[in-house]
Amino acid sequence: MGGGVKSSILKLQFRTQADVRDYMAMEEAVAQTIENLGQIDIVVSNAGAVAWIEMTPDHQQIVLDVNLTGTFNKKYDKETH
C-alpha cells in the first residue's frame, strides 16, 4: 500500500492530585499540568461523593462540596492560563 497516512502516538504521562473542594489546590494542579505538558486540551470531571445510609448535615456538606463546588473549581479557562 502506498501513500497512506502514517499515524504516530505520543505517550505522555503526568499525575497530579488535588482536593476538588479546594479552589487554590485545583489552580495549582492546573499550573503543574501546564508546566509539565505545555497545555490542557480536555478536562474530565470524575470526582463524586454520595452518602448511602443516613445523611447527616456533615455528610450533606461533603456531597455538596465535592459534587457542586468541585465542579466549579475544575472549570478551566484557557484564556487565563
Side-chain angles (χ1 to χ4, degrees):
M1 296 186 171
V5 175
K6 185 176 182 180
S7 69
S8 64
I9 299 174
L10 177 62
K11 291 185 179 182
L12 297 174
Q13 185 175 21
F14 171 70
R15 178 184 289 190
T16 187
Q17 183 174 335
D19 184 343
V20 297
R21 300 171 295 174
D22 182 340
Y23 181 82
M24 292 310 295
M26 293 306 297
E27 286 288 305
E28 179 61 28
V30 167
Q32 287 176 6
T33 302
I34 292 171
E35 180 180 322
N36 283 275
L37 301 178
Q39 67 184 35
I40 294 177
D41 294 320
I42 186 170
V43 175
V44 176
S45 177
N46 66 345
V50 65
W52 291 101
I53 310 295
E54 294 180 27
M55 188 174 286
T56 67
D58 288 339
H59 290 133
Q60 179 182 359
Q61 191 61 55
I62 291 169
V63 169
L64 289 172
D65 286 346
V66 170
N67 296 340
L68 183 60
T69 305
T71 300
F72 287 111
N73 287 347
K74 286 185 279 184
K75 176 188 169 289
Y76 171 67
D77 183 0
K78 207 169 193 176
E79 298 301 318
T80 61
H81 292 284

